[in-house]
């Protein structure tokens, strides 16, 4: 049948004169007269299409199908100018932040569950009992620090002075300091107390002695690496008392010991002093045992916080222990990375409003000038969230912990900078954990006054309180948790309870407004068991000993001999 039956047109003219073929139908408003050129083009096209139509049609169909697929899944591309694009799409579960909606629905069930747990466990929160019963028995082999015997002794005659500039935040600086100690030992050089670079993001003007105990650092390393607070007068005179005049060596990232011996040592011997600024990630993970020993000694023994930080931090730890009477002095610490700069850098979205977008654009430009406006840069907020690259909100952290079994009597310490829109985003976490503490609630304003405006000193307080917690929760990665996890392993015989959530799984679960509380709780407890199953982890060749101190910095204790019945 012709198109007539589909159109439902009973006109007699249509019956007598069906439409002509689309190939030869003249265009509307034009005559049928064609020029010779047009006829030749049409003839050529007809021949090619008839003979190779399938080959031509296949890629066209593929492209059309892809465009249709993208359209059906809701791709939206916003051009921000300057060649920067933001790509949105409806699609994979977890790509949109719907956690507040899920929380609102599940909150009554969470509270009912907590009330039942409280009736069944009045002395300890349920999760603390599970930790004591389930985690600790899994640690079969214990480890102990043993770094003093495998560190090479310093030579009597120094080859020169090694000067470094450490940049970044507290633990990025810590990394630079420890690697500098190792390099100084390798080169038999005298290490000058590191200079701290004023970072545009951290904006902390603290010097080494404001954060770390200089005298103790020098003393702890004295048998292995010579350290001085400043260059001697004769070296300063040689460079007109200007350290910037000392040659600044540009070193490759993750350089091997051989590279330092062949490239840096000759310069050191020739000039008497060399400088590396910035000195960040400039030494390979895999180095000989005696160099690893120097790293261990510097990080776990020599670097001690300065007295003002250390004394206040110890008081804060004691206050946490006193407040956690219902859990026998145990508390949970959470490293929460939801500061404005972290949210901006992640390129993730939470409330999808214009105000948030403007704030994030300004924060990115302020902290990383031009980096996010480079031509061709594509920002995919949904893909970032699905990939687990978005910082967890306080609400999401709270739901995860409640699902794992921590009830509302658990004392939680939150280590963080200035939380983005703290009044809005911290409220649900405080609702779930009324006993929540931060450095601002644990210390008085007078006690914190000397540290205000110095992010690294404040981070040192957080670091110490987290170091002594029963459980540590890492939510975003970075140097803070990497160093802290390794330090806790070093202090607690190779194993300390740490929760590193599977964010890919978590965002999918929190993208289901109809999810049941019992199902969510089961998934969280499975995640907890997965964390626990890792137990004691040894360092792999490409990993850092600052996170995995075994076996470079620790020795395995012999298994206790089984008791024999003498009766």
């Amino acid at each position: 049948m012709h198109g007539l039956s589909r159109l439902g047109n009973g006109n007699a003219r249509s019956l007598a004169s069906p439409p002509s073929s689309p190939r030869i139908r003249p265009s509307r408003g034009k005559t049928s007269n064609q020029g010779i050129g047009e006829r030749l083009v049409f003839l050529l096209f007809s021949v090619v299409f008839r003979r190779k139509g399938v080959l031509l049609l296949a890629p066209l169909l593929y492209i059309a199908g892809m465009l249709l697929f993208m359209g059906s899944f809701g791709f939206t591309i916003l051009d921000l100018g300057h060649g920067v694009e933001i790509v949105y799409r409806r699609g994979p579960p977890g790509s949109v932040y719907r956690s507040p909606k899920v929380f609102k629905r599940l909150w009554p069930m969470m509270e009912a569950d907590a009330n039942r747990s409280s009736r069944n466990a009045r002395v300890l929160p349920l999760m603390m009992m599970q930790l004591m019963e389930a985690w600790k028995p899994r640690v079969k082999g214990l480890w102990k620090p043993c770094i003093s015997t495998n560190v090479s002794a310093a030579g009597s005659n120094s080859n020169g002075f090694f000067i470094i500039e450490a940049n970044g935040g507290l633990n990025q600086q810590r990394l630079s300091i420890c690697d500098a100690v190792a390099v100084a030992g390798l080169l038999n050089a005298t290490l000058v107390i590191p200079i701290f670079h004023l970072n545009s993001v951290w904006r902390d003007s603290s010097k080494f002695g404001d954060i770390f105990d200089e005298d103790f650092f020098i003393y702890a390393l004295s048998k292995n690496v010579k350290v001085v607070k400043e260059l001697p007068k004769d070296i300063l005179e040689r460079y007109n008392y200007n350290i910037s005049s000392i040659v600044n060596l540009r070193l490759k990232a993750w350089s091997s010991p051989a590279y330092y011996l062949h490239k840096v040592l000759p310069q050191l011997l020739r000039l008497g002093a060399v400088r590396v600024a910035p000195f960040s990630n400039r030494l390979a993970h895999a180095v000989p045992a005696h160099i690893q020993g120097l790293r261990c000694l510097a990080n776990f023994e020599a670097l001690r916080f300065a007295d003002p930080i250390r004394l206040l931090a110890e008081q804060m730890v004691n206050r946490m222990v006193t407040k956690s009477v219902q859990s026998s002095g145990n508390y949970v610490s959470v490293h929460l990375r939801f500061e404005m700069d972290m949210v901006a850098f992640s390129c993730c979205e939470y409330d999808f409003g214009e105000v948030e977008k403007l704030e994030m654009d300004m924060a990115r430009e302020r902290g990383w000038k031009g980096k996010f406006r480079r031509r061709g840069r594509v920002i995919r907020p949904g893909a970032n969230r699905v990939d687990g690259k978005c910082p967890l909100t306080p609400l999401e952290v709270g739901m995860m912990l409640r699902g794992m079994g921590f009830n509302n009597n658990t004392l939680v310490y939150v280590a963080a900078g200035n939380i983005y829109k703290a009044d809005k985003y911290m409220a649900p976490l405080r609702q779930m954990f009324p006993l929540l503490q931060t450095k601002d609630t644990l210390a008085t304003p007078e006690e914190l006054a000397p540290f205000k405006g110095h992010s690294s000193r404040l981070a040192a307080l957080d670091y110490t309180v987290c170091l002594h917690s029963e459980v540590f929760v890492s939510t975003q990665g970075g140097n803070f948790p990497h160093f802290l996890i390794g330090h806790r392993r070093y202090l607690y015989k190779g194993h300390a309870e740490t929760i590193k959530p599977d964010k890919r799984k978590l965002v999918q679960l929190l993208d289901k407004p109809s999810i049941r509380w019992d199902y969510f709780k089961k998934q969280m407890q499975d995640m907890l068991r997965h964390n626990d199953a890792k137990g004691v982890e040894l360092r792999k060749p490409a990993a850092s000993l600052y996170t995995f101190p075994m076996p470079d910095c620790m020795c395995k204790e012999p298994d206790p001999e089984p008791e024999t019945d003498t009766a």
Side-chain angles (χ1 to χ4, degrees):
M1 296 180 66
H2 296 296
L4 170 65
S5 60
R6 294 195 299 271
L7 298 175
N9 187 349
N11 191 293
R13 184 179 301 174
S14 297
L15 288 171
S17 180
S20 59
S21 170
R23 291 188 181 179
I24 58 175
R25 183 188 300 171
S27 301
R28 292 183 181 179
K30 294 183 181 180
T31 63
S32 60
N33 296 330
Q34 297 176 321
I36 296 176
E38 291 178 345
R39 291 182 180 180
L40 287 174
V41 171
F42 174 76
L43 181 62
L44 179 63
F45 176 79
S46 299
V47 172
V48 172
F49 185 83
R50 286 171 182 170
R51 293 187 178 183
K52 300 183 179 180
V54 175
L55 296 177
L56 287 173
L57 195 59
L60 293 175
L61 288 174
Y62 174 78
I63 294 171
M66 289 298 295
L67 291 174
L68 180 63
F69 174 80
M70 292 171 67
S72 66
F73 279 87
F75 278 85
T76 304
I77 300 179
L78 301 180
D79 186 358
L80 301 183
H82 308 290
V84 180
E85 296 177 347
I86 298 183
V87 179
Y88 298 93
R89 58 167 292 181
R90 298 188 308 272
S95 58
V96 179
Y97 178 64
R98 294 193 177 94
S99 304
K101 186 175 182 180
V102 178
F103 170 68
K104 184 178 180 180
R105 180 179 169 276
L106 293 184
W107 173 243
M109 289 168 263
M110 294 165 65
E111 278 296 89
D113 193 32
N115 292 334
R116 285 193 298 270
S117 298
S118 297
R119 288 194 298 270
N120 295 332
R122 294 186 180 276
V123 179
L124 290 177
L126 178 62
M127 190 59 227
M128 287 301 179
M129 292 197 302
Q130 290 175 345
L131 287 176
M132 293 176 183
E133 295 172 2
W135 278 10
K136 290 189 177 179
R138 291 177 180 266
V139 184
K140 296 180 180 179
L142 299 179
W143 294 69
K144 63 180 181 180
C146 61
I147 58 178
S148 59
T149 58
N150 61 353
V151 180
S152 61
S156 56
N157 296 318
S158 171
N159 289 328
F161 292 89
F162 187 55
I163 307 159
I164 67 116
E165 186 175 292
N167 60 355
L170 172 68
N171 292 286
Q172 182 67 33
Q173 292 169 339
R174 193 182 190 106
L175 171 65
S176 299
I177 294 165
C178 297
D179 281 357
V181 169
V183 171
L186 173 69
L187 301 176
N188 189 28
T190 298
L191 177 66
V192 181
I193 286 289
I195 302 164
F196 285 177
H197 171 70
L198 182 62
N199 185 273
S200 60
V201 175
W202 293 95
R203 296 185 292 276
D204 188 341
S205 59
S206 298
K207 295 179 172 56
F208 186 99
D210 297 321
I211 300 174
F212 299 106
D213 187 331
E214 277 188 352
D215 293 331
F216 184 80
F217 181 72
I218 294 171
Y219 167 76
L221 295 171
S222 59
K223 294 182 180 180
N224 307 102
V225 175
K226 186 177 180 181
V227 183
V228 295
K229 293 185 179 182
E230 57 187 18
L231 287 169
K233 186 177 180 180
D234 60 322
I235 298 293
L236 286 172
E237 285 179 347
R238 190 187 306 174
Y239 293 99
N240 297 320
Y241 292 90
N242 185 0
I243 290 181
S244 345
S245 300
I246 298 174
V247 62
N248 184 16
L249 302 180
R250 299 296 180 180
L251 306 182
K252 297 188 301 182
W254 313 113
S255 296
S256 67
Y259 178 87
Y260 279 96
L261 293 174
H262 293 133
K263 299 291 185 180
V264 179
L265 182 57
Q267 296 270 56
L268 181 66
L269 292 170
R270 182 172 64 87
L271 300 171
V274 294
R275 182 171 62 97
V276 183
F279 185 79
S280 178
N281 299 321
R282 291 296 181 265
L283 181 61
H285 288 311
V287 297
H290 67 284
I291 303 301
Q292 295 288 43
L294 289 171
R295 278 172 157 168
C296 299
L297 182 62
N299 185 54
F300 298 116
E301 299 292 344
L303 276 180
R304 186 173 77 178
F305 290 128
D307 283 349
I309 295 172
R310 187 164 52 87
L311 295 175
L312 177 57
E314 288 175 357
Q315 292 182 45
M316 293 169 65
V317 171
N318 291 334
R319 290 168 191 172
M320 285 296 295
V321 171
T322 302
K323 289 176 179 291
S324 54
V325 291
Q326 292 191 355
S327 55
S328 297
N330 299 317
Y331 61 91
V332 177
S333 63
V334 178
H335 183 226
L336 187 61
R337 291 307 314 271
F338 204 70
E339 304 91 346
M340 177 178 282
D341 65 299
M342 191 67 215
V343 177
F345 187 81
S346 70
C347 296
C348 299
E349 295 186 345
Y350 294 91
D351 69 7
F352 301 97
E354 291 300 322
V355 174
E356 181 189 75
K357 291 178 183 177
L358 180 60
E359 288 176 340
M360 293 299 105
D361 286 341
M362 292 174 63
R364 282 190 281 265
E365 186 60 22
R366 185 170 57 248
W368 302 274
K369 296 185 183 300
K371 178 175 181 178
F372 293 90
R373 294 189 296 105
R374 292 174 185 166
R375 183 168 296 278
R377 177 94 187 211
V378 178
I379 299 174
R380 297 182 174 89
N384 290 347
R385 183 167 171 82
V386 172
D387 289 343
K389 296 177 181 178
C390 291
L392 293 180
T393 64
L395 181 149
E396 291 170 325
V397 173
M399 291 190 68
M400 176 189 73
L401 291 176
R402 289 293 290 265
M404 288 178 173
F406 294 93
N407 65 23
N408 54 6
N409 290 324
T410 305
L411 189 66
V412 175
Y413 180 85
V414 172
N418 295 321
I419 298 296
Y420 175 58
K421 293 185 178 178
D423 291 341
K424 171 183 176 180
Y425 285 107
M426 285 295 290
L429 182 58
R430 295 186 185 278
Q431 183 179 346
M432 286 181 272
F433 294 98
L435 302 180
L436 183 143
Q437 300 289 325
T438 66
K439 52 182 168 288
D440 293 306
T441 62
L442 208 55
T444 66
E446 292 76 20
E447 289 173 325
L448 291 175
F451 306 99
K452 290 296 185 181
H454 300 285
S455 58
S456 292
R457 301 184 210 181
L458 292 170
L461 296 175
D462 281 339
Y463 186 96
T464 305
V465 180
C466 292
L467 184 64
H468 297 287
S469 63
E470 177 71 17
V471 182
F472 171 66
V473 183
S474 171
T475 64
Q476 184 63 19
N479 285 315
F480 186 103
H482 289 168
F483 272 86
L484 187 73
I485 290 169
H487 205 158
R488 284 165 57 82
R489 285 175 171 145
Y490 184 81
L491 288 182
Y492 303 125
K493 299 186 177 183
H495 182 271
E497 289 82 354
T498 301
I499 297 173
K500 297 168 67 176
D502 181 348
K503 293 200 289 183
R504 290 189 179 97
K505 178 179 181 179
L506 185 60
V507 297
Q508 291 188 30
L509 293 170
L510 293 174
D511 195 19
K512 300 176 181 178
S514 60
I515 192 170
R516 301 188 315 274
W517 171 243
D518 57 347
Y519 178 77
F520 179 81
K521 187 167 65 170
K522 180 181 181 301
Q523 296 301 312
M524 293 301 97
Q525 290 172 355
D526 287 345
M527 190 182 295
L528 179 63
R529 281 190 290 270
H530 176 72
N531 276 266
D532 177 33
K534 295 179 180 179
V536 175
E537 294 184 81
L538 303 183
R539 187 181 70 85
K540 296 177 181 178
S544 168
L545 67 72
Y546 304 123
T547 306
F548 303 97
M550 298 88 73
D552 303 275
C553 311
M554 306 181 74
C555 303
K556 191 171 184 180
E557 291 183 343
D559 294 330
E561 295 182 3
E563 296 182 2
T564 57
D565 188 2
T566 58

